[in-house]
Amino acid sequence: TYADENGAPLFEKFDNLSPIVTTAMCFDDLLTPPDHPSRSRSDTYYLDDARLLRSHMTAHQTTLLRQGRRSFLFAGDVYRRDSVDACHYPCFHQMDGVKIYKWQDLGVSSHEEAIPIVLEDLRKTLAGMVASIFGDVEMKWVESTFPFTEPSLELEI
């Protein structure tokens, strides 16, 4: 869930992470193949050969995990070389979240057994976060597929 019984959030929050990241943070640490289109200079704003404007918030994930954090949300502007149209703009806001589970806390012994439990917790967490920010609003779950997450969810409000 998003908050404990007293209403305190169970996630650390970060919204002041530098938009300048290294190629290692944005690509290598996330196992992005060297020939992936997102690495091209036509898709990404490079400052030099080693630094760029983050193209996704996930660029900060491994740094926060290495610091020992296990439950956190992080948000900020991301930058992509997109042509402006009704659905695209070169700068937009993105939020990522990470929560590390322990097998013994879930009471399961396999990945397959954990999926429905973790999905239900994710749904409750996201719904709780939305309610704490926006109040009582209509929410709709959308089945989605993203290449780096399985399973994937989207929540529309």
Side-chain angles (χ1 to χ4, degrees):
T1 60
Y2 178 69
D4 67 15
E5 60 277 353
N6 299 315
L10 298 174
F11 294 81
E12 291 183 83
K13 296 178 209 73
F14 301 91
D15 63 0
N16 60 350
L17 301 169
S18 175
I20 299 172
V21 298
T22 65
T23 53
M25 292 167 68
C26 198
F27 303 122
D28 302 330
D29 290 352
L30 300 171
L31 307 178
T32 305
D35 60 346
H36 193 276
S38 65
R39 289 180 178 257
S40 75
R41 293 193 180 273
S42 63
D43 281 6
T44 299
Y45 289 104
Y46 283 87
L47 303 175
D48 55 40
D49 288 341
R51 298 176 309 134
L52 53 102
L53 293 176
R54 64 183 170 221
S55 55
H56 50 85
M57 287 304 297
T58 312
H60 298 286
Q61 180 175 305
T62 57
T63 301
L64 294 167
L65 286 167
R66 285 184 188 118
Q67 293 171 356
R69 302 176 192 289
R70 293 296 179 256
S71 184
F72 53 92
L73 302 169
F74 46 115
D77 290 335
V78 297
Y79 308 87
R80 297 186 187 159
R81 289 190 181 268
D82 283 334
S83 298
V84 177
D85 63 26
C87 298
H88 296 89
Y89 196 75
C91 177
F92 57 96
H93 209 67
Q94 190 175 65
M95 176 186 277
D96 278 21
V98 171
K99 182 175 180 181
I100 304 297
Y101 296 85
K102 295 180 181 177
W103 292 113
Q104 62 267 28
D105 294 341
L106 296 175
V108 300
S109 59
S110 74
H111 178 79
E112 291 75 22
E113 291 175 300
I115 289 174
I117 297 167
V118 171
L119 269 177
E120 182 59 26
D121 186 57
L122 177 59
R123 288 178 199 265
K124 287 179 183 177
T125 299
L126 291 174
M129 181 183 70
V130 167
S132 73
I133 295 170
F134 299 106
D136 186 22
V137 295
E138 185 177 338
M139 295 182 237
K140 176 183 170 186
W141 292 103
V142 178
E143 288 189 33
S144 300
T145 303
F146 298 103
F148 296 108
T149 62
E150 174 58 37
S152 301
L153 296 174
E154 278 189 89
L155 176 59
E156 294 180 354
I157 59 171

